[in-house]
Structures are given as C-alpha cells and as structure tokens.
Amino acid sequence: MSRDDALSSAPIRVLLAKPGLDGHDRGVKVIARALRDAGMEVIYTGLRQTPEMIAAAALQEDVDILGLSILSGAHLTLVPRIIRLLREQGQEAVPVLVGGIIPADDVPVLLAEGVAQVFGPGTPLPRIVEAVRLLVSRRKQSVTEATTPCPPK
Amino acid sequence: MPPEMKVPPERLAEEVMRGDHRSAARLITLLERGSAEAEPALNLIRPAIGHAHIIGLTGPPGSGKSTLIGSLIRFWRPNHKLGVLAIDPSSPRSGGALLGDRARLLEIASDSNVFVRSMSARGESGGMAPAAADAVDVLDAMGCDIVLIETVGGGQADVSVAGLAQTVLAVLVPGLGDDLQFLKAGVIEVADVLVVNKSDLPGAEEVAWRLRTAVAPMRGPRPPVLMTVATTGEGVEALAKEIAAHRKRHAPTTVDDSARRAIVRRYLLTLASQRLLADLLAELTEPMLDELSAAVLKRELSASQAARKLLGHWRQAQNEPGG
C-alpha cells in the first residue's frame, strides 16, 4: 500500500461536543454511534462543555471535523465563540456542523458565522454520515491544492 | 500553521520541543497514519525524550481507570505538565471507534498543562494502539513530565502497556466476581501497583486481602495494594506518592533489569508482527482470499495449508522488483 493510499484510508476523526448548560445527550449519542458504524473515530466530550474546552479538545485531538449538539437555545452565543476560538488557534479549516433545536430563522445566521451545515430533528442518519464524509474529503482536496505559504502564527 | 499544510519535519520537531500543542497533535496524527514526514520528525525530537515518567493503567472495563486518571490529574496539575493517552477499542465490524474517555477524565477545562489525546486501538490486541509508543515520545518531547496511558481495559491480555510504561497500575474493583480470573492471567505479573478502586463499596477489603495473598509468594518486590475512591479523590494522594516512590526505586535500574527487558522485547515483537500483518494484507487480493477460503470450505485444502499458500504468494510478491 502506498503512502497516499494509507493517508486516504485513515479513519476520519470527529469531535462531538455539547456546549453550554444542556443536559440532553441522547441525540448526540445516536449520532456518535452512526458515525462510528460508518468507520469513523468519534471523540465525545461529554456534557456541559465550555467553548474553551471544546476548542482545546479539537486542537489536541487534531480532528478533521467538529459537530456541536445544542438543544438549549444558546446556539447564537455559543457557536460563534467556538468558531472564533478555532480561528484563533489556526483551525479555521475544520468544518463545524450544528445539530439540535435550531429555529429556521437562526440557520442563515449560523451559516454566516461559518457553520458548514445545520441539522434539525429527524434528519436521516445516512445524510449526516454523507455530509461528514463530503466535508472532510473536500477539505483534504483543498489541502493538496493549497500552495499559499503558512501565515505566521 | 494550518494543519493541512505540509510542514517540514525540522519545523514540526522544533515546535513540538517548544511545547506547542498544535504541532504535537499534528505529529501524533502523522505517526498514526504512518506518513513519510513523521519518522524524520520523530528522530529530530529524540534528544528531548526520556524525561517523562510513563505510567500505564490497566484493568477491566468499568473499574474507573478514566476517573482515577482524572483524580490524579487534579492532584498533579499544579506542579506538573501532564500528558494522557486514552486508548479505546475499535469496532471489528466497521473499524470505527467511540472514544469517550476524554469526557470522564477532564471534568475541568484542559489548559496548557494538560494534553489529552484519544486513540483507537485500530484492531490491535493487547490493549494498546499501534502508534501509542510514538505518541508517548511526542508527549515526552513536548515537555510533559508525567505521561499516563489508559489501556483499552480488555482485562487479561492487556499487558502490552508494560512494554512502554515505567510504572504499571492494575485497577480493580469489588463486586466484579472476576478478581481471581484477573490474577491468574498476565496482568498481575506486570503490575507495579495494585489499586482497589471504588473501595467505598462492600467487598473492597476482601479484594485487597485476596490481592495481598496472591502477591505474597511472588519473588522480588511485591506490588503494594492501595485503596481509592476515584470519584471523591480518597486515597489518591497516597497513590500518587506510591507511584513516585516506585519510580525512585526502579527507574535507574530499568535498563539492566532483565525481567523488564523481556517485557519490552515481547512488546517490540508484537508491534513488528502487526506491521508484518499490515504489509501482508496490503499484498493480498480479494479474489485470492476468496478462492483460498472456498478451497478450505470444499475441503480441498486445510486452513493451515491455505495460510501457507498465502504466505507463499506474499514472499513471491516481496521478491519481485518494484512490487
């Protein structure tokens, strides 16, 4: 097996997190299992995480993609903060997905903040699995095409 | 430095030795993937390796290894830079993994003094992950003076960690009913400290007594038996002291210790055989495997014969230039 094969067949690493004061983790656990069954390595942070804890986990675990589950209604506060922290630590390329109870009016706001996709209740699991695969492969593609030098950090 | 940029190994190594979390995380990923720039970077950080006290935790699932690591982190974090490698099993069916230890061992926010990396065993038996040894070196080079390894927790065969850790903790609990099972197997031979966790539960004293009886006839230093309640932190200070004392007693003699060397040798051979298996699997084609499996089912070949045939094909492929 060549090195490139090895790279492309490396399992996708996903961080699933529940930011803020929200004790409902049934949904995120279902997603975690679906992604695992699709061959991915899923790191679940547990409940009541601060944006700082989530950003640190994304950094240390070097994940390909981040999924946030929010049912508390605090998404407009929490999500932009997490995205800002990712940017500050140079991880702006990590796609962010949001799942949970998100009013329709808030979806464009989140997308404008840099969220890649928002999933509401009842989204079929295969659709989420496909979205994760697509976003990660797109990101990897842009890697090989990237020629710009590293910005100083 | 976006992670997707190809960073030269020299720069990556330099950043790791400066203690940069991002670069350390990146290098561990590259090592896990077996990518080409990882090996030179690992060689370059070698001078910074060898200062960390490497501690392994093994024990049956549910014995509280993650929570105990969490308590130890709380005890050590004011004065130490800590690295944790948390290994969880991978699903044999999908190859995926659910890595949930992080949730239990980091109730408090991680900061620049605590670096936690979750790893999938990626099919490896023995409770470790293929790149665990490399990752420990990265954590050591980035300046962690204590590195904790949490094994899969498969129980009896979970002994590979002894090939890597200087101090091995076996974490047991009352009420599992498999105390003696656990003792019969290899783990007791490699444990340096025996911990009875959840010792507020009934039966804890009995487990401790059984352990003391079991280690009494052992030659050489007998592992001490300690009681903890990881959720409240009870007994954790005494455990931390015991771990430090173990290092003081044994670290200087590790290289000359023939028993230790035998354990390392076994671990090394385990890793080599896994590599070999990966090479073998990369050469084999689906039709070839199907054909041989069918032949075994039709009783045209025994399974052993078929395996020898596979190896024959492999050796042939190895000898072909450019193969």
Side-chain angles (χ1 to χ4, degrees):
Chain A
M1 186 161 49
S2 78
R3 190 169 67 86
D4 288 339
D5 289 343
L7 287 183
S8 58
S9 68
I12 293 174
R13 282 174 72 84
V14 188
L15 181 69
L16 289 183
K18 281 202 70 75
L21 298 171
D22 171 357
H24 304 278
D25 59 355
R26 213 153 142 186
V28 74
K29 283 178 173 163
V30 171
I31 305 291
R33 197 166 301 167
L35 296 177
R36 179 201 66 186
D37 290 345
M40 301 180 196
E41 293 181 0
V42 183
I43 298 131
Y44 175 53
T45 62
L47 293 167
R48 286 180 279 278
Q49 301 281 300
T50 65
E52 286 74 18
M53 289 163 93
I54 293 168
L59 186 86
Q60 296 179 355
E61 302 286 358
D62 194 24
V63 289
D64 299 306
I65 191 164
L66 169 62
L68 301 170
S69 160
I70 310 179
L71 295 97
S72 66
H75 45 273
L76 290 183
T77 318
L78 293 166
V79 175
R81 267 178 65 193
I82 292 164
I83 289 179
R84 199 182 62 229
L85 289 168
L86 287 179
R87 261 184 216 139
E88 279 169 16
Q89 62 192 26
Q91 281 192 301
E92 60 280 333
V94 173
V96 177
L97 300 176
V98 174
I101 312 289
I102 311 291
D105 289 351
D106 292 350
V107 173
V109 183
L110 289 178
L111 295 179
E113 288 285 348
V115 170
Q117 230 163 314
V118 178
F119 298 105
T123 309
L125 292 171
R127 244 189 74 203
I128 297 174
V129 170
E130 264 326 292
V132 170
R133 282 210 180 110
L134 192 71
L135 285 164
V136 172
S137 75
R138 233 188 251 158
R139 181 188 163 192
K140 281 189 176 147
Q141 235 159 26
S142 68
V143 175
T144 42
E145 286 160 11
T147 48
T148 45
C150 313
K153 175 87 220 289
Chain B
M1 189 197 69
E4 13 317 279
M5 297 290 175
K6 284 259 188 300
V7 180
E10 296 76 20
R11 168 120 180 257
L12 194 60
E14 206 176 287
E15 295 283 332
V16 168
M17 290 189 284
R18 202 177 291 154
D20 179 45
H21 280 202
R22 178 96 185 279
S23 303
R26 195 66 209 147
L27 181 52
I28 293 173
T29 304
L30 294 173
L31 286 161
E32 265 194 311
R33 292 181 182 173
S35 77
E37 58 264 51
E39 196 72 31
L42 195 57
N43 287 329
L44 286 166
I45 60 172
R46 186 62 50 196
I49 294 168
H51 306 289
H53 183 196
I54 305 162
I55 303 160
L57 282 90
T58 179
S63 61
K65 296 184 290 297
S66 300
T67 314
L68 194 59
I69 289 179
S71 315
L72 286 167
I73 289 176
R74 268 193 293 283
F75 183 77
W76 275 324
R77 70 191 267 144
N79 306 312
H80 294 276
K81 195 167 170 179
L82 301 160
V84 181
L85 209 56
I87 304 167
D88 266 323
S90 49
S91 147
R93 196 173 291 168
S94 74
L98 199 48
L99 311 174
D101 291 333
R102 193 180 183 98
R104 259 161 301 140
L105 55 84
L106 271 188
E107 288 156 19
I108 31 172
S110 57
D111 53 32
S112 54
N113 276 340
V114 185
F115 184 103
V116 177
R117 180 67 175 231
S118 313
M119 267 188 161
S120 153
R122 296 205 175 162
E124 187 182 316
S125 58
M128 295 287 274
D134 293 335
V136 166
D137 281 352
V138 175
L139 296 176
D140 191 344
M142 74 177 276
C144 294
D145 53 342
I146 296 176
V147 175
L148 294 137
I149 309 166
E150 179 180 348
T151 67
V152 166
Q156 309 188 334
D158 232 10
V159 291
S160 284
V161 70
L164 193 50
Q166 292 146 350
T167 305
V168 176
L169 274 57
V171 185
L172 301 162
V173 278
L176 277 184
D178 67 347
D179 310 326
L180 286 176
Q181 292 294 338
F182 198 64
L183 291 184
K184 271 188 249 164
V187 174
I188 191 99
E189 295 157 23
V190 299
D192 301 302
V193 181
L194 298 166
V195 183
V196 181
N197 191 34
K198 305 189 188 179
S199 63
D200 51 342
L201 294 181
E205 284 296 342
E206 198 200 325
V207 176
W209 177 80
R210 279 184 189 214
L211 286 171
R212 287 194 189 100
T213 318
V215 298
M218 279 172 72
R219 278 176 293 136
R222 286 177 211 121
V225 179
L226 279 87
M227 315 270 271
T228 58
V229 185
T231 45
T232 64
E234 206 183 307
V236 169
E237 188 178 341
L239 175 61
K241 279 195 185 131
E242 189 59 50
I243 292 169
H246 177 263
R247 186 192 199 190
K248 234 174 236 154
R249 280 200 305 272
H250 296 280
T253 61
T254 302
V255 178
D256 299 322
D257 185 339
S258 63
R260 211 78 189 163
R261 219 158 42 203
I263 291 169
V264 171
R265 197 159 73 180
R266 201 165 58 196
Y267 181 46
L268 203 138
L269 289 173
T270 308
L271 288 178
S273 58
Q274 277 153 4
R275 266 295 162 88
L276 218 53
L277 181 64
D279 284 357
L280 173 69
L281 289 174
E283 287 295 340
L284 299 177
T285 59
E286 285 296 324
M288 189 198 294
L289 279 169
D290 272 343
E291 197 182 304
L292 284 170
S293 311
V296 171
L297 282 173
K298 281 187 252 162
R299 314 290 299 261
E300 291 166 4
L301 288 172
S302 79
S304 307
Q305 275 179 311
R308 284 197 288 274
K309 265 192 190 296
L310 278 184
L311 285 177
H313 287 306
W314 180 56
R315 288 208 187 92
Q316 215 172 356
Q318 293 289 298
N319 291 330
E320 279 165 19

